[in-house]
Amino acid sequence: MSRIEILMTVPISQTAGNALDERFLVHRLWEQADPAAFLAAAGGRIRGAATSTGFGRVGHELLALLPHLEIVASFGVGYDNIDTAACARRGVVVTNTPDVLDEEVADLALGLTLATLRRIPQADRFVRAGLWEKGSFPLSPTLRGRHVGIVGLGRIGKTVARRFEGFGVPIGYHGRHRQEVPYAYHSDLRGLAEVSDLLVVCTPGGSETRRMIDAALLEALGPQGVLINVSRGSVVDQAALIAALRAGTILAAGLDVLEDEPHVPAALLALDNVVVLPHVGSRSLHTRNAAGRLVADNLLSWFAGSGPLTPVAETPFRGPVRASDRTG
Ligand code: 8YV
């Protein structure tokens, strides 16, 4: 019997690759001499895809080249790069990797918060530049006395909030719904920004949250305000943020994500009151392996006829029979 053919669009993790190789014929798109020619020639045989945000958009163009695609298993919890409406129309199930990276991203959010407030990277640069011999490092801002506002209290937001509980600071949140949590709910994001001086962005990306942190919001956060973003660069109006950091409209920012990754505007790098990371929230070997395993398990489960393990809400799995069986 011929093996089911899977398209891997970008290198994901060794764990995922190895697990998929055991069961499927895996085509690694980045290894093809001419990826477009490969898709034109072999796209009709592909029944499953493993992808990630690093690949770019999974939309009409790609779906049109893969007429027998049944499932897109995406590496990462965010899937704003996938046109889930187009997948739903085609009957293609989309899966992501929730839960496995919450703790890692929350750890990073806390680390980035402390690094930004206590100016840890700046202090390291100070020592390396030999400046300690000449005097003390300037006093830093603090977490003490701050009011934390979490934007988006999903799995990651809640995990971040639990960590802040340990720091003994008051916590509020903004999201679509009030939840059964011991934190103050703000139905209005501006209201949250006004009472907070540390805003931690944990909301998903996509059109609904695009540039929700804009110039007016930064103004509401205020001159002692600190913005931390571990979600998507698209959530923040980056030009407005740079202007606010430069003008002192807010105090500082810690960014793990940017608008046009991996491009970092020179204007951002020129600022001393920002800590920028190269989207490393979930990037530990432990967590990437767990996410890779879940990508592979979703594909294995699907093609064993047991349905997807972690389908996204927009493409719920509705039956025990997979698409290929339905369409013959
Ligand atoms: C991804 C992320 O793993 O999970 C997400 O949504 O943003 C990351 O942690 C990464 O984008 C995949 O390359």
Side-chain angles (χ1 to χ4, degrees):
M1 210 177 85
S2 63
R3 299 176 94 192
I4 291 171
E5 298 191 36
I6 299 287
L7 176 71
M8 200 185 261
T9 62
V10 278
I12 292 177
S13 76
Q14 194 75 28
T15 313
N18 292 346
L20 293 173
D21 281 334
E22 276 180 28
R23 167 77 170 80
F24 305 112
L25 175 56
V26 182
H27 301 285
R28 291 167 166 80
L29 193 57
W30 67 97
E31 286 179 357
Q32 305 300 325
D34 183 344
F38 167 79
L39 287 175
R45 302 198 306 269
I46 303 292
R47 290 175 56 194
T51 190
S52 142
T53 48
F55 174 66
R57 190 113 188 108
V58 175
H60 299 286
E61 291 85 357
L62 185 67
L63 292 177
L65 292 166
L66 307 173
H68 298 113
L69 190 67
E70 300 169 28
I71 176 169
V72 176
S74 187
F75 182 91
V77 67
Y79 49 93
D80 44 311
N81 61 313
I82 300 177
D83 186 343
T84 48
C87 289
R89 278 196 298 276
R90 269 274 311 272
V92 172
V93 169
V94 177
T95 65
N96 65 342
T97 58
D99 298 324
V100 292
L101 45 71
D102 301 348
E103 305 281 340
E104 206 72 81
V105 176
D107 288 353
L108 194 281
L110 267 291
L112 183 54
T113 299
L114 294 176
T116 305
L117 282 169
R118 303 302 314 279
R119 297 175 51 81
I120 294 171
Q122 293 90 331
D124 177 81
R125 289 200 290 273
F126 179 87
V127 173
R128 287 170 198 275
L131 296 172
W132 197 9
E133 304 268 3
K134 300 183 182 131
S136 301
F137 186 67
L139 300 181
S140 74
T142 180
L143 179 60
R144 309 273 72 73
R146 281 186 187 267
H147 187 296
V148 182
I150 311 273
V151 182
L153 202 73
R155 292 182 180 93
I156 292 175
K158 283 201 190 79
T159 314
V160 168
R162 275 198 297 276
R163 279 159 173 66
F164 274 113
E165 281 184 40
F167 286 86
V169 287
I171 302 167
Y173 70 101
H174 166 76
R176 276 172 299 184
H177 318 286
R178 183 188 292 275
Q179 302 189 44
E180 287 301 312
V181 288
Y183 318 126
Y185 177 58
H186 294 261
S187 56
D188 174 34
L189 177 55
R190 192 185 164 88
L192 178 67
E194 277 167 0
V195 302
S196 305
D197 39 25
L198 172 60
L199 213 53
V200 186
V201 182
C202 301
T203 190
S207 53
E208 273 182 44
T209 58
R210 190 170 164 71
R211 298 204 172 153
M212 72 195 288
I213 311 287
D214 59 9
L217 212 284
L218 295 169
E219 184 103 39
L221 187 56
Q224 289 306 312
V226 172
L227 179 78
I228 302 295
N229 188 3
V230 294
S231 77
R232 285 289 181 267
S234 61
V235 179
V236 176
D237 179 339
Q238 198 163 281
L241 175 62
I242 293 171
L245 287 165
R246 198 187 274 143
T249 309
I250 66 166
L251 185 68
L255 309 172
D256 185 40
V257 287
L258 295 179
E259 221 166 51
D260 182 27
E261 297 172 9
H263 306 294
V264 188
L268 192 66
L269 292 177
L271 294 168
D272 186 51
N273 54 348
V274 61
V275 176
V276 193
L277 303 180
H279 199 150
V280 290
S282 71
R283 286 187 70 89
S284 72
L285 190 58
H286 167 87
T287 293
R288 302 288 279 202
N289 279 342
R293 185 69 243 178
L294 189 49
V295 168
D297 286 347
N298 265 297
L299 289 163
L300 289 164
S301 174
W302 177 262
F303 288 108
S306 307
L309 299 179
T310 49
V312 303
E314 295 86 340
T315 64
F317 179 56
R318 291 213 173 78
V321 183
R322 58 180 193 256
S324 58
D325 295 339
R326 283 200 300 271
T327 56

